[in-house]
Amino acid sequence: PRERGWLNRYQYLYGDFWVSGFALTGVISFQQNFQAKDSDVILATLPKSGTTWLKAIVYSIINRKICSLDNSPLNTTNVHDLVPFLDCKVYLNGQNPDLSGIPPPRVFTTHVPYPSLPESIKSTTCRIVYLCRNPFDSFVSLWHFHTRARPKDLEPISLEDCFDMFCAGASGFGPFWDHFLGFWKESLKNPKKVLFLTYEDMQMDNKLQMKRLADFLGYPFVENEEKEGIIDKISKFCSFESMRELQPNKSGNKRGGHFDVSSFFRKGEVGDWMNYLTPSMADRLKKVVDEKLGGSGLNLKLLC
Ligand code: A3P
């Protein structure tokens, strides 16, 4: 595989699905057909940044007046169905469904980088929440995810091969540094439009980040709710341990025929990369991070 071109290597590692259905037709149909509304909320991430977690939190914040956590649809329906991906689900394989009847606020997710988002997302007042995760941990998470999803008849993906590609920026949604910077710069320019969160801050002070999120979305927690401990309750309900145990998130259910739903819940920690990357791999990735993100003001935490 080292002698192959990047696209071939990508296909070799991740299989046809990523090249034909996932990375191309879904993105193109999304770009061409999606019409954002002012009331929309768009969650944007790179794969393995904690998207599943963010979806559960945003869904719970927005719907907390409509249903208690005991009655939350999250108990019975997979979170990826409640807050669907636009590029990887709604528009997958070039589909173009009518989304106009979905009641506001519509909440969707995308992995598409900021410059490539449909124009209507930029021109309306819809809000974007970006969740960024340090690339050390997201790489390890990605490698596990693909290893698990890989058809058994193909040879296993080597960590080293996957790492080479990651450091070179070969990914279906572009290099991680470009992805981060696109949303980071926009959040600095227009903080009412883009809220930039990190997985590490969410782990370190979940309550504070949830308050920021609720304020940004226009669903602030009021004093009474704070007294009743609703923030803590949502935080616990959406925690890794709790979400992993919910029936719709347990193994046995395939998403799009490719991923077992339980593979979205592996370890949920900051710093697991230390168990996988050699010191020289860590140095190499650190150099990439310093070179690409240096001077941007975006400082990533590698440990909590
Ligand atoms: P790990 O593989 O490091 O455990 P995504 O949802 O973007 O695919 O990201 C998946 C990563 O987020 C996995 O990381 C997964 O375990 C972690 N994750 C999923 N749910 C989580 C939660 N409720 N809290 C914290 N991390 C969570």
Side-chain angles (χ1 to χ4, degrees):
R2 283 173 191 280
E3 285 75 49
R4 301 183 196 186
W6 282 117
L7 187 63
N8 277 346
R9 284 186 68 192
Y10 197 75
Q11 192 159 10
Y12 156 77
L13 286 174
Y14 300 142
D16 285 346
F17 173 68
W18 300 89
V19 176
S20 56
F22 191 84
L24 296 177
T25 53
V27 171
I28 291 168
S29 181
F30 166 47
Q31 287 171 327
Q32 291 179 340
N33 298 309
F34 181 68
Q35 281 307 315
K37 295 182 180 180
D38 287 337
S39 54
D40 285 347
V41 175
I42 308 290
L43 311 182
T45 61
L46 268 178
K48 306 300 116 199
S49 304
T51 324
T52 314
W53 188 17
L54 180 67
K55 287 181 182 200
I57 289 181
V58 169
Y59 185 87
S60 301
I61 289 177
I62 288 180
N63 290 293
R64 70 183 188 273
K65 300 253 162 66
I66 302 170
C67 58
S68 69
L69 293 173
D70 285 346
N71 295 323
S72 169
L74 285 163
N75 291 299
T76 49
T77 307
N78 185 266
V79 66
H80 294 289
D81 291 326
L82 294 171
V83 183
F85 280 105
L86 289 164
D87 37 312
C88 315
K89 176 85 197 280
V90 174
Y91 291 98
L92 188 68
N93 292 327
Q95 298 170 126
N96 181 17
D98 179 9
L99 307 175
S100 58
I102 300 177
R106 304 185 303 178
V107 188
F108 297 115
T109 314
T110 183
H111 288 319
V112 169
Y114 186 82
S116 308
L117 288 176
E119 207 36 55
S120 65
I121 292 188
K122 298 173 187 170
S123 59
T124 56
T125 60
C126 79
R127 292 165 226 226
I128 301 173
V129 179
Y130 188 75
L131 181 61
C132 172
R133 187 180 193 189
N134 86 64
F136 291 66
D137 280 323
S138 60
F139 163 71
V140 168
S141 183
L142 187 73
W143 178 70
H144 277 287
F145 189 71
H146 287 309
T147 298
R148 198 165 158 177
R150 193 166 174 79
K152 298 283 171 274
D153 52 331
L154 297 180
E155 62 184 291
I157 304 174
S158 88
L159 184 83
E160 291 72 20
D161 227 359
C162 203
F163 186 72
D164 269 358
M165 291 181 62
F166 189 77
C167 289
S171 140
F173 302 96
F176 67 83
W177 53 87
D178 283 344
H179 210 277
F180 292 177
L181 288 177
F183 288 95
W184 172 247
K185 287 180 185 162
E186 214 45 45
S187 75
L188 297 179
K189 258 197 275 172
N190 196 351
K192 286 197 174 137
K193 175 83 182 167
V194 182
L195 177 69
F196 196 97
L197 300 174
T198 70
Y199 184 93
E200 294 74 28
D201 286 344
M202 295 258 288
Q203 286 278 18
M204 272 171 48
D205 195 343
N206 194 239
K207 228 172 128 176
L208 177 69
Q209 301 309 316
M210 276 183 35
K211 278 193 200 171
R212 286 183 69 203
L213 200 41
D215 289 345
F216 175 79
L217 294 172
Y219 291 80
F221 292 105
V222 294
E223 217 182 309
N224 257 359
E225 290 183 304
E226 294 224 22
K227 277 191 199 138
E228 287 164 17
I230 184 76
I231 310 180
D232 275 332
K233 285 180 192 157
I234 295 179
S235 173
K236 271 199 194 115
F237 180 73
C238 296
S239 69
F240 178 81
E241 291 73 22
S242 150
M243 281 285 130
R244 189 184 47 178
E245 293 309 315
L246 291 181
Q247 193 282 328
N249 299 334
K250 291 201 166 174
S251 63
N253 304 320
K254 287 270 178 206
R255 295 207 59 74
H258 293 273
F259 312 115
D260 192 308
V261 290
S262 66
S263 54
F264 288 86
F265 302 89
R266 189 186 64 91
K267 211 163 182 184
E269 289 176 2
V270 178
D272 190 37
W273 60 270
M274 294 185 86
N275 298 317
Y276 292 89
L277 302 190
T278 62
S280 80
M281 288 167 107
D283 273 355
R284 181 174 164 198
L285 186 51
K286 186 158 185 318
K287 279 197 187 104
V288 174
V289 169
D290 289 348
E291 183 198 326
K292 303 291 185 183
L293 301 181
S296 67
L298 175 56
N299 297 313
L300 301 172
K301 296 187 186 78
L302 303 185
L303 295 169
C304 274

